Amino acid sequence: MAPIPGSGLAKGLAVTLRTMTRKSVTAQYPDTQPDLPPRTRGVIGLFEENCTVCMLCARECPDWCIYIDSHKETVPAATPGGRERSRNVLDRFAIDFALCMYCGICIEVCPFDALFWSPEFEYAETDIRDLTHERDKLREWMWTVPAPPALDPGAEEPKEIAAARKTAEKLAAAQSEPKEPTEPQEGES
């Protein structure tokens, strides 16, 4: 059977009329803040103390929007007779958010957990050059990073925590045991 001429137009108008009669659900953004999930990808925060200047984040970034500068510093020997060590010191860590595509690769490849997602999304600027955030600005975003989700209660305890707990229990048991006086050995007075 052939379609009735104009039936598509009638269906389209019916959808339009149905939509027009519904109450709109528009949130007036500046006045009403959106209710975002806690792990929202907003801006990247830097925990500078964990950064070892390994440059993995800058190398893996598909947009090349991460800029890192560092220098080597010699650390004196920790023990007498030990050798001096050298370590990298972070001079500059910047992310150009005008280029960033928020893929999260830099956060995933960081082996020392120095980069985190912050749910903050209100960092618009009037000048595009101000979207390059230096390490001081990236450090400020760290205070808005939510705590990691709780572990699954049925999950196995992490090995590090289990080993630390066993060591602490052994030390507590050793300190609480009363020490018996030792008998003098032969030849001792």
Side-chain angles (χ1 to χ4, degrees):
M1 180 171 179
I4 302 172
S7 65
L9 178 63
K11 286 181 184 177
L13 287 173
V15 170
T16 302
L17 288 172
R18 237 188 346 259
T19 306
M20 284 176 43
T21 59
R22 291 186 190 150
K23 183 173 171 45
S24 79
V25 206
T26 304
Q28 301 301 324
Y29 162 61
D31 302 326
T32 307
Q33 291 295 321
D35 187 24
L36 299 173
R39 304 303 285 179
T40 300
R41 290 184 178 190
V43 70
I44 298 170
L46 171 68
F47 189 54
E48 194 175 331
E49 289 77 17
N50 284 358
C51 184
T52 60
V53 197
C54 65
M55 309 280 260
L56 275 175
C57 54
R59 281 184 290 196
E60 296 296 326
C61 179
D63 290 334
W64 292 83
C65 64
I66 300 176
Y67 310 108
I68 301 175
D69 291 331
S70 68
H71 70 277
K72 288 203 181 274
E73 222 174 58
T74 304
V75 179
T79 58
R83 67 181 178 107
E84 295 179 338
R85 306 277 179 178
S86 66
R87 69 179 185 110
N88 288 330
V89 178
L90 186 65
D91 292 331
R92 179 180 186 222
F93 193 105
I95 299 177
D96 188 353
F97 286 106
L99 294 175
C100 183
M101 65 182 189
Y102 304 93
C103 63
I105 293 174
C106 57
I107 295 169
E108 295 296 323
V109 301
C110 182
F112 301 103
D113 290 333
L115 298 173
F116 294 91
W117 280 117
S118 167
E120 294 294 318
F121 61 93
E122 297 177 310
Y123 54 94
E125 299 287 346
T126 55
D127 187 3
I128 196 167
R129 292 173 290 201
D130 293 335
L131 282 173
T132 300
H133 293 179
E134 296 292 332
R135 69 183 188 179
D136 298 333
K137 184 71 173 174
L138 295 172
R139 187 182 312 119
E140 288 176 25
W141 294 117
M142 272 307 295
W143 306 118
T144 62
V145 171
L151 294 175
D152 182 15
E156 184 179 312
E157 184 177 43
K159 293 174 187 163
E160 296 86 358
I161 295 176
R165 179 174 289 124
K166 286 179 185 176
T167 305
E169 288 172 357
K170 285 180 184 177
L171 287 174
Q175 290 175 352
S176 65
E177 289 179 3
K179 294 189 177 186
E180 297 178 16
T182 58
E183 295 179 16
Q185 301 289 329
E186 285 184 31
E188 291 183 7
S189 49

